[in-house]
Amino acid sequence: MDVPAFVETWNPITLAIPFFTISVFAEMVHARLTGKTRFETRDSASSLVMGLGNNVSSIIFGLVLGGWSVFVYEHRLMDISFAWWVWVIAIFLDDFLYYWSHRFAHTVRWFWADHVVHHSSQHYNLTTALRQPWISPFTLKFLWLGSAMVFVGFHPALVAFVGALNLIYQFWIHTEAIKKCPAWFEAVFNTPSHHRVHHATNPLYLDRNYAGIFIIWDKMFGTFQAELEDEPCRYGIVKNLGTYNPLKICLHEWLAIVKDMAGAKSAKHAVMYLVAPPGWSPDGSRETSSQILARWKARQGVGEVESGKAPTAPEAAE
């Protein structure tokens, strides 16, 4: 199959780096002039170092991941062309798979150990988008979910290209400078408002809005939560790290898993520390996101919270 020249020669993320750089600088200027966006020097520096490390990691593991994609493609179910409509389908399908991959990254601790890196900043600006993990291949997610489209018959180069476009799209939604987009856009696409909710630790906002490009998946599968004017976002993770050390940011949850498994009283508990939601513990001494939300609702004296409404302001998640 003939691969379009631009797919073989263009790296969308590399081409986007000047845009990323200019945008971060512009947002910093905006923050200085208006005070509507917040930056912290050490936090931003940590995010930039994490982004650089992620690029190095991609180069190091690139041959392994590329070789696996080629192997899967050799056993594909069918041949799919590069027709324009294939690109449209690929973008939607990639985003659909991203939604589920992202959802698993919040509900299975093994995957959360990697993804927590991206959520570890207590600030929300464009440098946060660059705060990425270094050892993602160790989750082994690429063996199945990352290879699904290739196995069906989409060319690996096409899959990599649309995946890169998805990541590039998500860069601009990491900002407080843009409050709301037009209603029609908010209804279909992921936006800064939707993604602020995703990064928030407010009990009402925990584990919501997993979308990459299209917010429709969250609305279809019951994980959507609108950003509320009377419920400002608090960013970070439930128990914040209190460090700007990139190595600790990268490895802290992996080390916590090892510690928990080493102290487990049974093989079942050891496995649960890997596959249960973050915060699970056999004695209930910790809390998962769903338990935090349930406790908050109980304190507020309410039942189910509608996606567009909230009762009185909640307490901070412990």
Side-chain angles (χ1 to χ4, degrees), residues 44 51 87 106 113 181 263 310:
S44 295
W87 284 89
H106 280 257
C181 296

Side-chain angles (χ1 to χ4, degrees), residues 86-250:
V86 170
W87 284 89
V88 175
I89 293 174
I91 289 172
F92 274 92
L93 182 55
D94 173 78
D95 199 55
F96 173 76
L97 293 174
Y98 175 85
Y99 167 86
W100 286 105
S101 174
H102 195 182
R103 188 166 175 172
F104 293 153
H106 280 257
T107 54
V108 178
R109 193 183 181 193
W110 172 257
F111 299 134
W112 173 246
D114 182 66
H115 186 59
V116 67
V117 170
H118 182 59
H119 282 263
S120 60
S121 174
Q122 293 179 250
H123 297 268
Y124 193 76
N125 52 58
L126 292 177
T127 66
T128 307
L130 305 177
R131 183 177 286 227
Q132 299 293 334
W134 293 351
I135 54 176
S136 296
F138 285 104
T139 64
L140 304 180
K141 198 185 299 185
F142 71 92
L143 293 177
W144 49 286
L145 193 57
S147 304
M149 290 177 64
V150 176
F151 181 64
V152 170
F154 291 91
H155 195 281
L158 186 153
V159 174
F161 199 94
V162 297
L165 294 180
N166 196 312
L167 292 177
I168 291 171
Y169 177 90
Q170 292 182 56
F171 172 77
W172 76 279
I173 61 178
H174 290 82
T175 185
E176 293 183 302
I178 300 173
K179 297 307 178 184
K180 289 282 186 177
C181 296
W184 68 267
F185 197 88
E186 294 276 346
V188 177
F189 294 95
N190 199 8
T191 66
S193 177
H194 297 328
H195 205 58
R196 283 193 291 269
V197 167
H198 179 70
H199 274 258
T201 61
N202 311 48
L204 180 60
Y205 292 159
L206 283 174
D207 290 351
R208 297 291 170 178
N209 300 0
Y210 298 113
I213 298 175
F214 301 106
I215 199 65
I216 57 175
W217 311 124
D218 287 285
K219 295 181 177 181
M220 288 174 61
F221 298 111
T223 53
F224 175 71
Q225 171 62 51
E227 182 182 28
L228 307 177
E229 290 186 5
D230 58 351
E231 184 62 24
C233 295
R234 299 186 296 274
Y235 306 111
I237 52 180
V238 172
K239 293 187 181 299
N240 288 305
L241 298 181
T243 181
Y244 301 105
N245 185 320
L247 284 176
K248 291 182 179 179
I249 294 171
C250 177

Side-chain angles (χ1 to χ4, degrees), residues 245-309:
N245 185 320
L247 284 176
K248 291 182 179 179
I249 294 171
C250 177
L251 299 175
H252 77 276
E253 186 65 13
W254 293 109
L255 296 176
I257 289 176
V258 171
K259 181 179 178 180
D260 284 339
M261 293 184 70
K265 296 181 179 180
S266 70
K268 178 182 177 181
H269 288 168
V271 172
M272 288 296 288
Y273 276 125
L274 279 179
V275 301
W280 177 88
S281 60
D283 59 0
S285 59
R286 309 177 200 173
E287 291 182 303
T288 64
S289 294
S290 60
Q291 291 169 331
I292 291 172
L293 177 59
R295 175 169 58 83
W296 170 71
K297 287 180 180 179
R299 289 183 178 182
Q300 303 305 315
V302 298
E304 289 297 318
V305 179
E306 297 180 11
S307 63
K309 300 178 181 179

Side-chain angles (χ1 to χ4, degrees), residues 10-68:
W10 291 3
N11 184 331
I13 294 178
T14 300
L15 294 175
I17 288 177
F19 165 75
F20 292 166
T21 304
I22 293 171
S23 297
V24 168
F25 178 76
E27 190 185 34
M28 287 180 174
V29 172
H30 177 270
R32 180 63 63 88
L33 294 177
T34 67
K36 295 181 178 179
T37 305
R38 294 167 292 173
F39 281 85
E40 202 284 331
T41 302
R42 292 170 297 176
D43 179 83
S44 295
S46 295
S47 294
L48 294 174
V49 171
M50 296 307 298
L52 177 61
N54 179 263
N55 284 332
V56 173
S57 171
S58 298
I59 295 172
I60 293 174
F61 294 111
L63 289 177
V64 174
L65 301 182
W68 173 251

